[in-house]
Amino acid sequence: MNSKPASQPMRIILVENHRLMAEGVEAILGNAGIVITGVFSSGQQVLKALQAGMTADLIICDLWLEDGQNGVQLLTQLQADGFAIPMLILSVDETPDSIRMALQAGARGYLPKDCLSPELLKAIYRIVQDDEVYLSPRLLTILVSKTGSLKSPATDLPVLTKQELKILTLVANEYENQEIAEKLFISVGTVETHRKNLMKKLNVKNAIALANVANRYGFTVDPLPDRPGQW
């Protein structure tokens, strides 16, 4: 665990080349009592600041920066220079290749820019205080949609099928088996089979433990939409 004492506010470096977006993130973090130690628009600015002695508990970084560098390249450079500061990617780029590239490079989280402030804060605390990796449930689904299953290189989440991810999200949002069956247009028996498979894969013994695991990975943040055509 990397929990910080309550007397020490969390410190974050923000790397974002769209000023309006940067101001919005600054406001959210400021309201949460988080200190912004620096706001930059390029990777080189960040490197110079760190070399000059700036410190932080986390870097929140856009994937694409104004100097032609991307967040993954910046992360790689930071690691090479000995700066062990975790990075959370906040980007409009939701393509599977970009998500995988960031996670494989060692990013500790990846969020879409249209995420809500509670999810942003949840990701920050999971990464900094709990020393976990956070990937938006929606992005998990995007990854799965391309392959039919998922094994994230940066998390201990086991391989889950697209249907299992849907059911895990609904379980986390306190749907009963009958409600899940109606929402996914499958039988209750099929739901029960999927739940048993999920408990086996996630190594839990009951529904409460399954919901706890779903909460750990953030599946309550982004419930499935009510229109089946969007699933």
Side-chain angles (χ1 to χ4, degrees):
M1 292 286 184
N2 290 334
S3 299
K4 294 174 63 60
S7 59
Q8 296 183 18
M10 196 180 300
R11 303 159 302 166
I12 287 182
I13 289 173
L14 177 61
V15 193
E16 170 59 58
N17 60 355
H18 294 94
R19 187 59 206 171
L20 187 61
M21 181 69 186
E23 289 176 355
V25 174
E26 284 184 89
I28 292 169
L29 301 187
N31 289 336
I34 297 173
V35 175
I36 306 295
T37 59
V39 180
F40 306 100
S41 57
S42 73
Q44 288 305 310
Q45 292 172 349
V46 177
L47 287 168
K48 289 179 181 178
L50 291 174
Q51 290 164 356
M54 181 177 284
T55 60
D57 301 299
L58 177 70
I59 295 174
I60 298 178
C61 187
D62 196 350
L63 189 61
W64 306 108
L65 306 174
E66 70 173 16
D67 54 3
Q69 190 178 41
N70 63 50
V72 172
Q73 291 171 328
L74 173 58
L75 176 58
T76 302
Q77 185 64 55
L78 291 173
Q79 294 168 340
D81 290 352
F83 294 109
I85 303 174
M87 180 179 287
L88 168 63
I89 298 292
L90 184 63
S91 178
V92 296
D93 189 339
E94 300 180 18
T95 59
D97 286 346
S98 293
I99 298 168
R100 289 194 184 95
M101 176 178 68
L103 294 175
Q104 288 170 349
R108 300 301 304 279
Y110 200 116
L111 287 176
K113 278 191 174 179
D114 64 353
C115 70
L116 299 179
S117 55
E119 182 171 20
L120 174 60
L121 294 172
K122 183 173 187 176
I124 290 169
Y125 290 122
R126 286 285 178 84
I127 294 168
V128 177
Q129 294 190 334
D130 299 334
D131 195 26
E132 294 181 356
V133 172
Y134 187 92
L135 181 60
S136 166
R138 190 175 85 207
L139 299 186
L140 277 171
T141 302
I142 289 173
L143 286 175
V144 169
S145 69
K146 296 298 181 181
T147 62
S149 64
L150 169 70
K151 176 63 176 181
S152 168
T155 74
D156 58 350
L157 187 67
V159 175
L160 300 180
T161 67
K162 187 174 182 179
Q163 190 79 319
E164 286 171 341
L165 282 173
K166 291 178 183 178
I167 290 174
L168 187 59
T169 302
L170 293 170
V171 168
N173 285 281
E174 300 182 354
Y175 282 71
E176 300 294 336
N177 284 356
Q178 182 63 48
E179 295 173 307
I180 295 173
E182 292 173 358
K183 199 168 185 69
L184 299 182
F185 299 98
I186 57 178
S187 69
V188 173
T190 299
V191 174
E192 291 173 347
T193 297
H194 280 301
R195 288 181 71 132
K196 289 177 182 177
N197 289 338
L198 281 167
M199 287 190 285
K200 183 177 181 179
K201 287 184 177 183
L202 297 170
N203 194 30
V204 296
K205 302 297 184 183
N206 54 54
I208 294 175
L210 183 62
N212 287 339
V213 170
N215 272 286
R216 174 186 171 193
Y217 287 103
F219 281 87
T220 55
V221 175
D222 195 12
L224 293 177
D226 289 328
R227 295 185 292 279
Q230 291 186 333
W231 297 351

